Amino acid sequence: GAVVSQHPSWVICKSGTSVKIECRSLDFQATTMFWYRQFPKQSLMLMATSNEGSKATYEQGVEKDKFLINHASLTLSTLTVTSAHPEDSSFYICSAQQPSSYEQYFGPGTRLTVT
Amino acid sequence: LAKTTQPISMDSYEGQEVNITCSHNNIATNDYITWYQQFPSQGPRFIIQGYKTKVTNEVASLFIPADRKSSTLSLPRVSLSDTAVYYCLVGDSTLNNAGNMLTFGGGTRLMVKP
């Protein structure tokens, strides 16, 4: 149980375009989802916290207008990287939290490459 | 927010026991200690969590001394497939402070050799 999926697993896009990444909790309802970014050989950095039905909370230094997060249902959160640039190339990972638990369940990640 | 310090890397051989220590000197009373494993290009995977003394599950043990200022993840008889990065997180596990559990430190890169 407690499986989280991400789609796509990898994506290549051109500079200036937008990319949407989906995060789904497959067998549980997640009131809270988290989005992380991880650069090569570095640790995960929390970008934002997404709560179902409300606006996301962004960490300091993360541009909310560039990284649009939508948590429209209890099983789906999306991250849209708008006007992507090569420096946005990274590994994006989401995690989901059940209402009655503190434990995070992580997705497999999405590799974004901006050319 | 309790900061954690781990060795950057460790080497081991197949069949050996590996102990990875994490320092968290300013751990708070309500904080729990959680360890995750991450393989390249994959999301982290929960290994074990504890508050004090010793916790054991099917894959690892977690030793926490009385002062709780450090913890040690013990992996018995490692195999090549245990080569990964191991992260120690410390934070308050209550729902209204979930954010405290979300700060990943540098992690320890474990290399298991044949």
Side-chain angles (χ1 to χ4, degrees):
Chain A
V3 177
V4 176
S5 70
Q6 283 184 238
H7 178 79
S9 56
W10 60 270
V11 58
I12 302 173
C13 71
K14 291 186 177 181
S15 186
T17 61
S18 295
V19 174
K20 180 185 286 188
I21 302 170
E22 294 184 348
C23 176
R24 293 182 185 273
S25 56
L26 298 184
D27 49 4
F28 66 99
Q29 294 184 329
T31 50
T32 304
M33 290 183 172
F34 307 95
W35 287 95
Y36 295 82
R37 181 168 51 181
Q38 186 175 33
F39 293 106
K41 304 288 188 182
Q42 294 188 22
S43 185
L44 285 77
M45 290 184 59
L46 180 66
M47 298 175 66
T49 301
S50 167
N51 291 298
E52 187 267 336
S54 63
K55 290 184 178 180
T57 303
Y58 291 83
E59 294 298 301
Q60 192 172 11
V62 178
E63 300 175 57
K64 62 179 181 179
D65 294 329
K66 179 172 182 61
F67 298 98
L68 301 179
I69 292 173
N70 183 279
H71 194 159
S73 77
L74 287 172
T75 59
L76 173 65
S77 176
T78 60
L79 167 68
T80 301
V81 182
T82 62
S83 187
H85 290 283
E87 56 265 32
D88 298 323
S89 297
S90 187
F91 192 53
Y92 292 86
I93 306 170
C94 73
S95 70
Q97 189 175 39
Q98 292 177 299
S100 59
S101 171
Y102 52 79
E103 188 171 334
Q104 291 186 74
Y105 302 96
F106 286 86
T110 297
R111 174 79 57 193
L112 170 63
T113 302
V114 184
T115 61
Chain B
L1 204 63
K3 181 181 176 182
T4 60
T5 303
Q6 303 173 233
I8 294 174
S9 64
M10 293 181 68
D11 288 345
S12 182
Y13 291 92
E14 280 189 295
Q16 289 187 333
E17 177 185 78
V18 171
N19 296 307
I20 305 174
T21 297
C22 178
S23 296
H24 28 80
N25 291 318
N26 59 340
I27 188 170
T29 302
N30 292 334
D31 286 347
Y32 277 70
I33 301 156
T34 308
W35 285 80
Y36 286 89
Q37 175 192 55
Q38 187 183 28
F39 297 113
S41 297
Q42 294 187 28
R45 184 175 73 101
F46 174 88
I47 301 175
I48 197 166
Q49 185 182 73
Y51 183 80
K52 63 180 180 180
T53 62
K54 176 183 176 182
V55 179
T56 297
N57 60 24
E58 62 274 11
V59 297
S61 294
L62 179 60
F63 298 93
I64 305 169
D67 65 4
R68 303 201 324 123
K69 293 184 181 300
S70 67
S71 59
T72 299
L73 173 72
S74 181
L75 304 173
R77 299 179 298 281
V78 294
S79 63
L80 297 177
S81 62
D82 293 316
T83 294
V85 179
Y86 293 82
Y87 293 99
C88 160
L89 276 71
V90 174
D92 189 338
S93 64
T94 59
L95 289 178
N96 60 353
N97 283 301
N100 287 345
M101 298 293 284
L102 306 177
T103 301
F104 281 77
T108 297
R109 194 172 296 273
L110 173 66
M111 172 69 73
V112 180
K113 302 176 182 178

Short mmCIF file of all heavy atoms in Angstrom, two decimals, chain A residues 16-67:
data_model
loop_
_atom_site.label_atom_id
_atom_site.label_comp_id
_atom_site.label_asym_id
_atom_site.label_seq_id
_atom_site.Cartn_x
_atom_site.Cartn_y
_atom_site.Cartn_z
N GLY A 16 11.89 28.08 -22.56
CA GLY A 16 10.77 28.97 -22.78
C GLY A 16 9.41 28.29 -22.77
O GLY A 16 8.38 28.96 -22.67
N THR A 17 9.40 26.99 -22.84
CA THR A 17 8.13 26.24 -22.80
C THR A 17 7.78 25.87 -21.37
O THR A 17 8.59 26.03 -20.45
CB THR A 17 8.21 24.98 -23.66
OG1 THR A 17 9.22 24.11 -23.14
CG2 THR A 17 8.54 25.33 -25.11
N SER A 18 6.56 25.37 -21.19
CA SER A 18 6.10 24.96 -19.86
C SER A 18 5.95 23.44 -19.81
O SER A 18 5.62 22.81 -20.81
CB SER A 18 4.76 25.63 -19.55
OG SER A 18 4.93 27.03 -19.46
N VAL A 19 6.16 22.90 -18.65
CA VAL A 19 6.08 21.45 -18.45
C VAL A 19 5.26 21.16 -17.21
O VAL A 19 5.46 21.79 -16.17
CB VAL A 19 7.48 20.84 -18.28
CG1 VAL A 19 7.40 19.37 -17.91
CG2 VAL A 19 8.30 21.02 -19.54
N LYS A 20 4.35 20.20 -17.32
CA LYS A 20 3.51 19.82 -16.17
C LYS A 20 3.92 18.43 -15.70
O LYS A 20 4.02 17.49 -16.49
CB LYS A 20 2.04 19.82 -16.55
CG LYS A 20 1.12 19.42 -15.37
CD LYS A 20 -0.33 19.32 -15.78
CE LYS A 20 -0.95 20.67 -15.98
NZ LYS A 20 -2.41 20.60 -16.21
N ILE A 21 4.09 18.31 -14.40
CA ILE A 21 4.43 17.02 -13.77
C ILE A 21 3.29 16.65 -12.82
O ILE A 21 2.86 17.47 -12.02
CB ILE A 21 5.75 17.12 -13.00
CG1 ILE A 21 6.89 17.56 -13.92
CG2 ILE A 21 6.09 15.77 -12.35
CD1 ILE A 21 8.17 17.90 -13.18
N GLU A 22 2.83 15.41 -12.93
CA GLU A 22 1.74 14.94 -12.08
C GLU A 22 2.25 14.05 -10.97
O GLU A 22 3.17 13.25 -11.17
CB GLU A 22 0.72 14.16 -12.91
CG GLU A 22 -0.02 14.97 -13.93
CD GLU A 22 -1.08 14.16 -14.66
OE1 GLU A 22 -1.07 12.92 -14.51
OE2 GLU A 22 -1.91 14.75 -15.36
N CYS A 23 1.63 14.17 -9.83
CA CYS A 23 1.92 13.32 -8.68
C CYS A 23 0.60 12.74 -8.18
O CYS A 23 -0.32 13.49 -7.86
CB CYS A 23 2.58 14.14 -7.58
SG CYS A 23 2.92 13.24 -6.04
N ARG A 24 0.53 11.42 -8.14
CA ARG A 24 -0.71 10.76 -7.73
C ARG A 24 -0.49 9.79 -6.58
O ARG A 24 0.49 9.02 -6.58
CB ARG A 24 -1.32 9.97 -8.89
CG ARG A 24 -1.82 10.82 -10.04
CD ARG A 24 -2.45 9.96 -11.13
NE ARG A 24 -2.84 10.76 -12.28
CZ ARG A 24 -4.00 11.37 -12.41
NH1 ARG A 24 -4.90 11.26 -11.46
NH2 ARG A 24 -4.27 12.09 -13.48
N SER A 25 -1.38 9.82 -5.62
CA SER A 25 -1.40 8.79 -4.59
C SER A 25 -2.37 7.72 -5.08
O SER A 25 -3.54 8.00 -5.31
CB SER A 25 -1.84 9.36 -3.25
OG SER A 25 -3.09 9.99 -3.35
N LEU A 26 -1.87 6.51 -5.27
CA LEU A 26 -2.65 5.49 -5.97
C LEU A 26 -3.64 4.75 -5.08
O LEU A 26 -4.68 4.30 -5.54
CB LEU A 26 -1.70 4.49 -6.64
CG LEU A 26 -0.77 5.08 -7.71
CD1 LEU A 26 0.03 3.98 -8.36
CD2 LEU A 26 -1.55 5.88 -8.74
N ASP A 27 -3.32 4.57 -3.83
CA ASP A 27 -4.18 3.75 -2.98
C ASP A 27 -4.52 4.40 -1.66
O ASP A 27 -4.93 3.72 -0.71
CB ASP A 27 -3.52 2.39 -2.74
CG ASP A 27 -2.08 2.51 -2.29
OD1 ASP A 27 -1.62 3.65 -2.09
OD2 ASP A 27 -1.42 1.48 -2.13
N PHE A 28 -4.37 5.71 -1.60
CA PHE A 28 -4.77 6.42 -0.39
C PHE A 28 -5.04 7.87 -0.76
O PHE A 28 -4.64 8.36 -1.81
CB PHE A 28 -3.70 6.33 0.70
CG PHE A 28 -2.40 7.06 0.37
CD1 PHE A 28 -2.16 8.33 0.88
CD2 PHE A 28 -1.44 6.45 -0.42
CE1 PHE A 28 -0.97 8.99 0.59
CE2 PHE A 28 -0.25 7.10 -0.71
CZ PHE A 28 -0.02 8.37 -0.20
N GLN A 29 -5.75 8.53 0.12
CA GLN A 29 -6.05 9.94 -0.10
C GLN A 29 -5.01 10.78 0.63
O GLN A 29 -4.72 10.55 1.80
CB GLN A 29 -7.45 10.27 0.40
CG GLN A 29 -8.55 9.58 -0.41
CD GLN A 29 -9.94 10.00 0.06
OE1 GLN A 29 -10.15 10.30 1.23
NE2 GLN A 29 -10.88 10.03 -0.86
N ALA A 30 -4.47 11.73 -0.09
CA ALA A 30 -3.40 12.56 0.47
C ALA A 30 -3.88 14.00 0.60
O ALA A 30 -4.06 14.69 -0.39
CB ALA A 30 -2.17 12.49 -0.43
N THR A 31 -4.08 14.41 1.81
CA THR A 31 -4.48 15.80 2.01
C THR A 31 -3.31 16.75 1.78
O THR A 31 -3.51 17.92 1.44
CB THR A 31 -5.00 16.02 3.43
OG1 THR A 31 -4.05 15.49 4.36
CG2 THR A 31 -6.33 15.31 3.64
N THR A 32 -2.11 16.24 1.95
CA THR A 32 -0.92 17.07 1.78
C THR A 32 0.07 16.36 0.89
O THR A 32 0.34 15.18 1.06
CB THR A 32 -0.25 17.36 3.14
OG1 THR A 32 -1.20 17.97 4.02
CG2 THR A 32 0.92 18.31 2.96
N MET A 33 0.58 17.12 -0.06
CA MET A 33 1.65 16.62 -0.92
C MET A 33 2.79 17.63 -0.92
O MET A 33 2.57 18.83 -0.73
CB MET A 33 1.15 16.38 -2.35
CG MET A 33 0.21 15.20 -2.47
SD MET A 33 -0.28 14.91 -4.18
CE MET A 33 -1.16 13.35 -4.04
N PHE A 34 3.98 17.13 -1.11
CA PHE A 34 5.16 17.97 -1.08
C PHE A 34 5.94 17.83 -2.38
O PHE A 34 6.00 16.75 -2.96
CB PHE A 34 6.07 17.57 0.09
CG PHE A 34 5.37 17.54 1.43
CD1 PHE A 34 4.86 16.35 1.93
CD2 PHE A 34 5.23 18.69 2.18
CE1 PHE A 34 4.21 16.31 3.16
CE2 PHE A 34 4.58 18.66 3.40
CZ PHE A 34 4.07 17.47 3.89
N TRP A 35 6.52 18.91 -2.81
CA TRP A 35 7.36 18.89 -4.01
C TRP A 35 8.80 19.25 -3.64
O TRP A 35 9.06 20.24 -2.96
CB TRP A 35 6.83 19.87 -5.05
CG TRP A 35 5.58 19.40 -5.70
CD1 TRP A 35 4.30 19.70 -5.37
CD2 TRP A 35 5.49 18.49 -6.81
NE1 TRP A 35 3.41 19.04 -6.20
CE2 TRP A 35 4.11 18.30 -7.09
CE3 TRP A 35 6.43 17.83 -7.61
CZ2 TRP A 35 3.67 17.48 -8.12
CZ3 TRP A 35 5.98 17.01 -8.63
CH2 TRP A 35 4.62 16.84 -8.89
N TYR A 36 9.72 18.40 -4.13
CA TYR A 36 11.14 18.59 -3.89
C TYR A 36 11.87 18.72 -5.23
O TYR A 36 11.41 18.25 -6.26
CB TYR A 36 11.75 17.39 -3.16
CG TYR A 36 11.23 17.13 -1.77
CD1 TYR A 36 10.04 16.46 -1.55
CD2 TYR A 36 11.97 17.53 -0.66
CE1 TYR A 36 9.58 16.20 -0.27
CE2 TYR A 36 11.53 17.27 0.63
CZ TYR A 36 10.34 16.60 0.81
OH TYR A 36 9.90 16.35 2.08
N ARG A 37 13.06 19.29 -5.14
CA ARG A 37 13.95 19.36 -6.30
C ARG A 37 15.30 18.84 -5.85
O ARG A 37 15.76 19.12 -4.72
CB ARG A 37 14.06 20.80 -6.80
CG ARG A 37 14.94 20.99 -8.01
CD ARG A 37 14.76 22.37 -8.60
NE ARG A 37 14.88 23.44 -7.63
CZ ARG A 37 14.73 24.72 -7.93
NH1 ARG A 37 14.45 25.09 -9.17
NH2 ARG A 37 14.85 25.64 -7.01
N GLN A 38 15.93 18.08 -6.73
CA GLN A 38 17.23 17.52 -6.38
C GLN A 38 18.19 17.66 -7.56
O GLN A 38 17.94 17.10 -8.63
CB GLN A 38 17.10 16.04 -5.99
CG GLN A 38 18.39 15.42 -5.48
CD GLN A 38 18.18 14.00 -5.00
OE1 GLN A 38 17.36 13.26 -5.52
NE2 GLN A 38 18.95 13.59 -3.98
N PHE A 39 19.27 18.39 -7.36
CA PHE A 39 20.30 18.52 -8.37
C PHE A 39 21.30 17.39 -8.19
O PHE A 39 21.40 16.80 -7.11
CB PHE A 39 20.97 19.90 -8.28
CG PHE A 39 20.05 21.03 -8.63
CD1 PHE A 39 19.53 21.87 -7.65
CD2 PHE A 39 19.66 21.25 -9.94
CE1 PHE A 39 18.67 22.91 -7.97
CE2 PHE A 39 18.80 22.29 -10.28
CZ PHE A 39 18.29 23.11 -9.28
N PRO A 40 22.06 17.09 -9.26
CA PRO A 40 23.00 15.96 -9.20
C PRO A 40 23.94 16.04 -8.01
O PRO A 40 24.49 17.10 -7.71
CB PRO A 40 23.76 16.08 -10.53
CG PRO A 40 22.80 16.76 -11.45
CD PRO A 40 22.04 17.73 -10.59
N LYS A 41 24.10 14.93 -7.34
CA LYS A 41 25.01 14.77 -6.19
C LYS A 41 24.60 15.65 -5.01
O LYS A 41 25.41 15.84 -4.10
CB LYS A 41 26.45 15.13 -6.60
CG LYS A 41 26.97 14.32 -7.77
CD LYS A 41 27.24 12.90 -7.39
CE LYS A 41 27.95 12.17 -8.54
NZ LYS A 41 28.19 10.74 -8.21
N GLN A 42 23.40 16.17 -5.01
CA GLN A 42 22.95 16.99 -3.90
C GLN A 42 21.74 16.37 -3.22
O GLN A 42 21.15 15.41 -3.72
CB GLN A 42 22.60 18.41 -4.38
CG GLN A 42 23.80 19.19 -4.89
CD GLN A 42 23.45 20.63 -5.18
OE1 GLN A 42 22.48 21.18 -4.66
NE2 GLN A 42 24.24 21.27 -6.02
N SER A 43 21.38 16.93 -2.09
CA SER A 43 20.26 16.41 -1.33
C SER A 43 18.94 16.96 -1.88
O SER A 43 18.93 17.80 -2.76
CB SER A 43 20.43 16.82 0.13
OG SER A 43 19.42 16.26 0.92
N LEU A 44 17.85 16.45 -1.36
CA LEU A 44 16.54 16.96 -1.76
C LEU A 44 16.29 18.30 -1.08
O LEU A 44 16.60 18.49 0.09
CB LEU A 44 15.43 16.00 -1.31
CG LEU A 44 15.24 14.71 -2.08
CD1 LEU A 44 16.29 13.70 -1.72
CD2 LEU A 44 13.84 14.13 -1.82
N MET A 45 15.70 19.20 -1.84
CA MET A 45 15.33 20.50 -1.29
C MET A 45 13.83 20.69 -1.45
O MET A 45 13.31 20.60 -2.56
CB MET A 45 16.10 21.62 -1.99
CG MET A 45 17.58 21.64 -1.67
SD MET A 45 18.40 23.04 -2.42
CE MET A 45 17.50 24.39 -1.71
N LEU A 46 13.16 20.96 -0.35
CA LEU A 46 11.73 21.17 -0.39
C LEU A 46 11.41 22.45 -1.15
O LEU A 46 11.98 23.51 -0.85
CB LEU A 46 11.17 21.24 1.03
CG LEU A 46 9.66 21.46 1.15
CD1 LEU A 46 8.90 20.25 0.61
CD2 LEU A 46 9.27 21.72 2.61
N MET A 47 10.49 22.36 -2.11
CA MET A 47 10.08 23.53 -2.87
C MET A 47 8.79 24.11 -2.30
O MET A 47 8.66 25.33 -2.13
CB MET A 47 9.86 23.17 -4.33
CG MET A 47 11.08 22.65 -5.06
SD MET A 47 10.67 22.13 -6.72
CE MET A 47 10.23 23.69 -7.47
N ALA A 48 7.82 23.22 -2.07
CA ALA A 48 6.51 23.71 -1.65
C ALA A 48 5.70 22.60 -1.03
O ALA A 48 5.95 21.42 -1.25
CB ALA A 48 5.77 24.29 -2.85
N THR A 49 4.73 23.04 -0.23
CA THR A 49 3.77 22.13 0.39
C THR A 49 2.41 22.41 -0.23
O THR A 49 1.97 23.56 -0.29
CB THR A 49 3.70 22.36 1.90
OG1 THR A 49 5.00 22.15 2.46
CG2 THR A 49 2.70 21.42 2.55
N SER A 50 1.77 21.35 -0.68
CA SER A 50 0.51 21.48 -1.39
C SER A 50 -0.62 20.84 -0.58
O SER A 50 -0.54 19.66 -0.26
CB SER A 50 0.64 20.78 -2.75
OG SER A 50 -0.60 20.60 -3.37
N ASN A 51 -1.62 21.61 -0.23
CA ASN A 51 -2.77 21.10 0.50
C ASN A 51 -3.99 21.10 -0.40
O ASN A 51 -4.26 22.07 -1.11
CB ASN A 51 -3.05 21.96 1.73
CG ASN A 51 -1.97 21.81 2.78
OD1 ASN A 51 -1.74 20.73 3.31
ND2 ASN A 51 -1.28 22.88 3.09
N GLU A 52 -4.73 20.03 -0.37
CA GLU A 52 -5.90 19.87 -1.23
C GLU A 52 -6.89 21.00 -1.02
O GLU A 52 -7.27 21.29 0.12
CB GLU A 52 -6.55 18.50 -0.97
CG GLU A 52 -7.67 18.15 -1.92
CD GLU A 52 -9.03 18.56 -1.40
OE1 GLU A 52 -9.19 18.68 -0.16
OE2 GLU A 52 -9.95 18.73 -2.21
N GLY A 53 -7.25 21.64 -2.11
CA GLY A 53 -8.25 22.69 -2.06
C GLY A 53 -7.76 24.05 -1.61
O GLY A 53 -8.56 24.98 -1.47
N SER A 54 -6.49 24.21 -1.39
CA SER A 54 -5.97 25.52 -0.98
C SER A 54 -4.67 25.82 -1.71
O SER A 54 -4.11 24.97 -2.39
CB SER A 54 -5.76 25.56 0.53
OG SER A 54 -4.77 24.63 0.92
N LYS A 55 -4.21 27.05 -1.54
CA LYS A 55 -2.99 27.46 -2.21
C LYS A 55 -1.77 26.77 -1.60
O LYS A 55 -1.73 26.50 -0.40
CB LYS A 55 -2.82 28.97 -2.12
CG LYS A 55 -3.83 29.76 -2.94
CD LYS A 55 -3.52 31.26 -2.86
CE LYS A 55 -4.51 32.05 -3.72
NZ LYS A 55 -4.23 33.52 -3.65
N ALA A 56 -0.80 26.55 -2.44
CA ALA A 56 0.42 25.92 -1.96
C ALA A 56 1.26 26.90 -1.15
O ALA A 56 1.18 28.11 -1.33
CB ALA A 56 1.24 25.40 -3.14
N THR A 57 2.04 26.36 -0.26
CA THR A 57 2.98 27.16 0.53
C THR A 57 4.38 26.92 -0.01
O THR A 57 4.86 25.78 -0.01
CB THR A 57 2.92 26.74 2.02
OG1 THR A 57 1.60 26.89 2.50
CG2 THR A 57 3.87 27.61 2.83
N TYR A 58 5.01 27.98 -0.45
CA TYR A 58 6.32 27.86 -1.08
C TYR A 58 7.44 28.16 -0.10
O TYR A 58 7.31 29.02 0.77
CB TYR A 58 6.41 28.82 -2.28
CG TYR A 58 5.54 28.43 -3.43
CD1 TYR A 58 4.18 28.76 -3.44
CD2 TYR A 58 6.04 27.71 -4.51
CE1 TYR A 58 3.35 28.39 -4.49
CE2 TYR A 58 5.22 27.35 -5.57
CZ TYR A 58 3.89 27.68 -5.55
OH TYR A 58 3.08 27.32 -6.60
N GLU A 59 8.55 27.45 -0.27
CA GLU A 59 9.71 27.70 0.56
C GLU A 59 10.40 28.99 0.07
O GLU A 59 10.23 29.42 -1.07
CB GLU A 59 10.68 26.52 0.49
CG GLU A 59 10.13 25.25 1.09
CD GLU A 59 9.81 25.38 2.57
OE1 GLU A 59 10.73 25.70 3.36
OE2 GLU A 59 8.63 25.19 2.93
N GLN A 60 11.17 29.55 0.96
CA GLN A 60 11.87 30.79 0.63
C GLN A 60 12.79 30.58 -0.56
O GLN A 60 13.51 29.57 -0.63
CB GLN A 60 12.70 31.25 1.84
CG GLN A 60 13.24 32.64 1.73
CD GLN A 60 13.89 33.11 3.03
OE1 GLN A 60 14.11 32.32 3.94
NE2 GLN A 60 14.18 34.39 3.12
N GLY A 61 12.71 31.50 -1.51
CA GLY A 61 13.56 31.41 -2.68
C GLY A 61 12.94 30.68 -3.86
O GLY A 61 13.52 30.67 -4.95
N VAL A 62 11.79 30.08 -3.66
CA VAL A 62 11.10 29.37 -4.76
C VAL A 62 10.03 30.29 -5.33
O VAL A 62 9.15 30.76 -4.61
CB VAL A 62 10.47 28.06 -4.25
CG1 VAL A 62 9.72 27.38 -5.39
CG2 VAL A 62 11.53 27.15 -3.67
N GLU A 63 10.11 30.56 -6.64
CA GLU A 63 9.18 31.49 -7.27
C GLU A 63 7.84 30.82 -7.52
O GLU A 63 7.73 29.89 -8.32
CB GLU A 63 9.75 31.96 -8.60
CG GLU A 63 11.08 32.68 -8.49
CD GLU A 63 11.64 33.01 -9.87
OE1 GLU A 63 10.92 33.68 -10.63
OE2 GLU A 63 12.77 32.58 -10.17
N LYS A 64 6.80 31.31 -6.86
CA LYS A 64 5.49 30.69 -6.99
C LYS A 64 4.89 30.90 -8.37
O LYS A 64 4.07 30.11 -8.83
CB LYS A 64 4.54 31.22 -5.92
CG LYS A 64 4.27 32.70 -6.00
CD LYS A 64 3.30 33.12 -4.90
CE LYS A 64 2.99 34.60 -4.97
NZ LYS A 64 2.04 35.02 -3.90
N ASP A 65 5.29 31.96 -9.06
CA ASP A 65 4.75 32.21 -10.40
C ASP A 65 5.45 31.37 -11.45
O ASP A 65 4.96 31.22 -12.57
CB ASP A 65 4.87 33.69 -10.76
CG ASP A 65 4.01 34.56 -9.88
OD1 ASP A 65 2.94 34.06 -9.44
OD2 ASP A 65 4.38 35.71 -9.61
N LYS A 66 6.58 30.84 -11.11
CA LYS A 66 7.32 30.00 -12.05
C LYS A 66 6.97 28.52 -11.84
O LYS A 66 6.87 27.76 -12.78
CB LYS A 66 8.82 30.20 -11.87
CG LYS A 66 9.65 29.34 -12.81
CD LYS A 66 11.10 29.70 -12.74
CE LYS A 66 11.89 28.86 -13.73
NZ LYS A 66 11.44 29.06 -15.12
N PHE A 67 6.80 28.15 -10.61
CA PHE A 67 6.47 26.76 -10.26
C PHE A 67 5.03 26.73 -9.73
O PHE A 67 4.79 26.91 -8.54
CB PHE A 67 7.45 26.22 -9.22
CG PHE A 67 8.88 26.18 -9.68
CD1 PHE A 67 9.76 27.20 -9.32
CD2 PHE A 67 9.34 25.16 -10.49
CE1 PHE A 67 11.08 27.17 -9.75
CE2 PHE A 67 10.65 25.13 -10.92
CZ PHE A 67 11.53 26.14 -10.56
#
